[in-house]
Amino acid sequence: MTPKQTTINTVTLTCSTCGSAQFTKLDTNEYRCSHCHAVTLVEDNVAQRLEKILRGMQQPAAKPQLGPRAIAAVAVAVAAVIAVPLVASLLGSKPSTTIRQPPAPPPIDASLVKLTDVQEIRVRDRTQLVMIMRNETGKKIDVPRVTASFFQGELSLPSNSGSAPARSLQPGEYTPVTISTPSQAYSRYTLQVSQPRLARDRNNDVAASKVQLVRNDGAYRLVGLLKNNGTDEANSSQITVMLYGEDGKLIGTGNGYGAASPLAPDALTSFDVRCEMLAEGQVASYDYMVQSENPATALAAPKEEALPSRIVRVSPADPRVIEHVRLTTEELLDPGFALFDASALKLSAPRRLLDEIERPVMYAELVNTSDQYVVLSPKADISLFDGSRRLDVRQAWSLPARLYPGERVPVALTGRIDRYSEVKTDWLPAKRAALPGPRPKLAVTVENTEAQVGTGTLNFTYRFRYKYVTVHGRVRNDSQAEVENVRVWVSLYDAQDKLSGAVFQELRLPKLKPDESAPFQVDVKQYGGNFARVGVVYDAGPR
């Protein structure tokens, strides 16, 4: 087979057929394209140029060699890099100083942290170990953990650990510790205190004042004020409380914090610590401890100095007792705070009437005779007696959350009341508010009344008739805010101005914006004489 013939571009030295620049020498001045295999003959000058190109492609490039002068220059540069810093350090060096760390303090003997007054107390369906931890090490320490190991005979049960509410203990100070017991029965236990550590945080100069123990609404609370007498901010001012019974045993504990944190220098804040009772009994005395500490700035060991105890003992406890009404911290601390004078509440003699099926119903009126204060959430225990026998009666509806001076609200008593000879009313403590009071200002008006007669059936056999009055009215919002949850107590009075019927109803009204109004309708059953006038008392706001 005759090979293809081609020519070579003498300028670019490429194959004229395919454009490739790769050639193989076959003979003198004869070359073959490595791509399309075409053969060509070239002149001598072109052959010489191709020979140079082919030798460059077939031989690897020689590695560059450093001459003697280059090697000497590199050696001088390396020596300079090493020598210059060395000489500079030798010329400017000073005698070295060794930073000595303070020696580690010797370990504190854990046996000097005493656990005393250990009791097994059942609280809310679980048993706890309750004890007092006392610091007798002579140093201020962080409160260590206490581990209780439980056993049933020789069998080991799960261990539990407990910690104290206090953060640190100065020499002579103490704190309560509680540890939960396992659910399994156990025959014995051992207590072990972890290795105590020196406390490094420094005390802030935070002092308590106006401290009082209050039994309010079924719980003991310690309330008071905290003041930062120092020059730095005080973080996390903590109050720990321990309550003791008449026999001196711990019967309650509490732990809380100041309302503001951090507390600026010369600033004042309140605290309110709610205590948990561990056992029943009267509180005869109590301790409280104020702790406020900031991290120490120095790494050195704390200085050995005599630190006064932060624990304050109050004996006798003499708690202030205010039951049946929950007071705020501010109210308890306000020296001018007073409850509503219950003698200003008057309950009229109940009037016995018969309803539509001849069942007795008693109506009375509660009047706020005070001319200065609104009574807030009044509550009463109303008892009726027939001779020495107390009758079983109950109130049909609740009283308004706010009863203003001069307002008369109906009270309905239901039960088996054939006759009664005496009424006893025990008013529970209630708060008061000065006029104009907190109730939204509404205009509640009666626009029309309709006396009507209704019928009903009892047990599908007994048909009865009853009289009732339909009261049409309107509620207008005269306050500056939206109002909802409007409730009314509507009373019917006969010609002798005695109650002949009453009802309590929550009105189904839309939310009223300022100056908006809405109509309402209430049906009131009438059990006495024909009504001569209608009275309405309202309340509004959250239920």
Side-chain angles (χ1 to χ4, degrees):
M1 178 177 176
T2 304
K4 291 189 298 180
Q5 298 294 322
T6 186
T7 59
I8 291 180
N9 188 323
T10 59
V11 177
T12 61
L13 297 182
T14 57
C15 177
S16 298
T17 301
C18 67
S20 173
Q22 303 294 325
F23 295 94
T24 301
K25 185 176 180 179
L26 299 178
D27 201 352
T28 303
N29 295 357
E30 187 177 4
Y31 296 88
R32 183 176 60 195
C33 177
S34 300
H35 183 261
C36 64
H37 304 291
V39 177
T40 183
L41 292 173
V42 297
E43 296 180 357
D44 292 340
N45 61 338
V46 176
Q48 292 174 0
R49 292 167 57 194
L50 282 175
E51 287 293 329
K52 292 180 180 180
I53 294 174
L54 292 177
R55 285 198 298 269
M57 294 174 57
Q58 295 170 359
Q59 296 180 3
K63 295 183 180 179
Q65 300 292 328
L66 289 178
R69 292 183 180 180
I71 294 174
V74 172
V76 171
V78 172
V81 170
I82 298 174
V84 171
L86 179 61
V87 172
S89 64
L90 291 175
L91 293 176
S93 63
K94 297 180 180 179
S96 61
T97 57
T98 302
I99 300 176
R100 296 185 177 180
Q101 297 291 338
I108 301 174
D109 187 356
S111 65
L112 296 178
V113 178
K114 305 294 185 182
L115 301 177
T116 63
D117 307 302
V118 182
Q119 308 176 65
E120 293 186 41
I121 296 178
R122 190 162 185 81
V123 181
R124 292 198 298 269
D125 298 329
R126 74 177 190 272
T127 302
Q128 290 183 318
L129 297 180
V130 180
M131 65 205 73
I132 299 292
M133 175 188 290
R134 301 179 185 273
N135 179 13
E136 298 182 5
T137 65
K139 307 176 188 301
K140 182 182 177 182
I141 61 173
D142 291 330
V143 173
R145 295 185 65 82
V146 180
T147 301
S149 299
F150 298 91
F151 304 90
Q152 176 60 50
E154 297 301 321
L155 180 65
S156 296
L157 301 177
S159 300
N160 286 331
S161 296
S163 59
R167 294 193 293 258
S168 65
L169 290 178
Q170 293 177 172
E173 290 182 344
Y174 46 91
T175 182
V177 179
T178 57
I179 302 176
S180 298
T181 60
S183 57
Q184 306 97 312
Y186 60 92
S187 57
R188 62 186 178 91
Y189 59 86
T190 60
L191 300 174
Q192 183 176 7
V193 179
S194 65
Q195 179 64 49
R197 297 182 302 176
L198 285 176
R200 296 186 176 274
D201 292 348
R202 58 179 178 83
N203 293 337
N204 295 318
D205 188 6
V206 175
S209 63
K210 295 187 177 181
V211 179
Q212 55 179 305
L213 182 67
V214 183
R215 194 179 74 194
N216 178 224
D217 199 21
Y220 280 98
R221 297 159 61 190
L222 189 76
V223 298
L225 298 175
L226 294 176
K227 183 178 181 181
N228 182 6
N229 296 318
T231 57
D232 299 326
E233 285 188 339
N235 294 318
S236 301
S237 299
Q238 177 180 337
I239 303 92
T240 302
V241 185
M242 291 162 275
L243 307 179
Y244 304 97
E246 296 177 348
D247 58 358
K249 291 185 177 181
L250 185 69
I251 62 172
T253 64
N255 191 64
Y257 296 87
S261 181
L263 192 61
D266 293 325
L268 199 68
T269 189
S270 63
F271 66 87
D272 189 340
V273 181
R274 190 178 182 90
C275 299
E276 178 184 14
M277 299 305 294
L278 304 174
E280 303 222 346
Q282 297 294 324
V283 177
S285 61
Y286 64 91
D287 295 329
Y288 69 90
M289 176 170 58
V290 177
Q291 289 186 293
S292 180
E293 299 172 337
N294 283 350
T297 56
L299 295 177
K303 297 180 180 179
E304 295 288 342
E305 57 183 21
L307 297 173
S309 175
R310 296 167 293 185
I311 295 178
V312 177
R313 167 62 63 95
V314 179
S315 181
D318 194 20
R320 179 182 172 191
V321 180
I322 306 173
E323 298 291 9
H324 306 295
V325 56
R326 179 68 185 271
L327 302 184
T328 65
T329 308
E330 292 73 19
E331 290 169 341
L332 290 172
L333 293 174
D334 182 5
F337 174 80
L339 296 173
F340 186 83
D341 183 4
S343 64
L345 294 175
K346 302 297 183 182
L347 186 71
S348 66
R351 185 184 187 191
R352 183 177 181 274
L353 301 172
L354 297 177
D355 66 9
E356 60 271 24
I357 56 174
E358 303 299 320
R359 293 177 305 187
V361 59
M362 306 285 288
Y363 284 120
E365 276 192 303
L366 169 63
V367 183
N368 179 6
T369 63
S370 172
D371 58 357
Q372 294 181 325
Y373 296 106
V374 180
V375 57
L376 304 179
S377 301
K379 295 178 182 178
D381 181 13
I382 303 174
S383 304
L384 272 62
F385 292 86
D386 181 9
S388 60
R389 183 172 64 91
R390 180 172 178 169
L391 303 179
D392 183 17
V393 297
R394 63 183 182 278
Q395 298 182 45
W397 52 69
S398 60
L399 298 174
R402 291 150 289 202
L403 189 63
Y404 276 60
E407 288 186 335
R408 304 163 65 181
V409 63
V411 178
L413 303 174
T414 59
R416 298 179 61 87
I417 313 170
D418 293 331
R419 64 179 181 219
Y420 73 94
S421 58
E422 185 181 4
V423 179
K424 289 185 178 180
T425 305
D426 293 327
W427 293 104
L428 303 181
K431 297 181 184 180
R432 69 183 188 185
L435 294 173
R439 186 175 67 184
K441 186 178 181 181
L442 304 180
V444 181
T445 56
V446 175
E447 297 179 336
N448 185 29
T449 56
E450 298 178 64
Q452 304 189 61
V453 176
T455 60
T457 303
L458 179 64
N459 294 332
F460 302 103
T461 56
Y462 176 69
R463 295 185 60 82
F464 59 86
R465 294 161 55 98
Y466 61 92
K467 295 186 294 183
Y468 69 97
V469 176
T470 300
V471 178
H472 300 274
R474 180 168 290 273
V475 177
R476 188 182 71 247
N477 182 10
D478 290 344
S479 65
Q480 301 300 314
E482 292 184 341
V483 173
E484 58 183 342
N485 300 328
V486 180
R487 304 174 290 279
V488 294
W489 290 257
V490 182
S491 303
L492 303 179
Y493 297 90
D494 61 15
Q496 286 75 40
D497 206 34
K498 294 183 178 180
L499 278 172
S500 62
V503 73
F504 161 74
Q505 186 168 315
E506 297 186 15
L507 301 182
R508 295 183 177 179
L509 300 179
K511 185 181 294 185
L512 297 178
K513 296 181 179 179
D515 296 326
E516 284 187 345
S517 65
F520 70 89
Q521 175 181 319
V522 177
D523 292 335
V524 188
K525 291 182 179 180
Q526 178 178 283
Y527 300 133
N530 291 333
F531 81 101
R533 69 179 183 91
V534 177
V536 179
V537 173
Y538 80 90
D539 201 0
R543 291 183 178 85

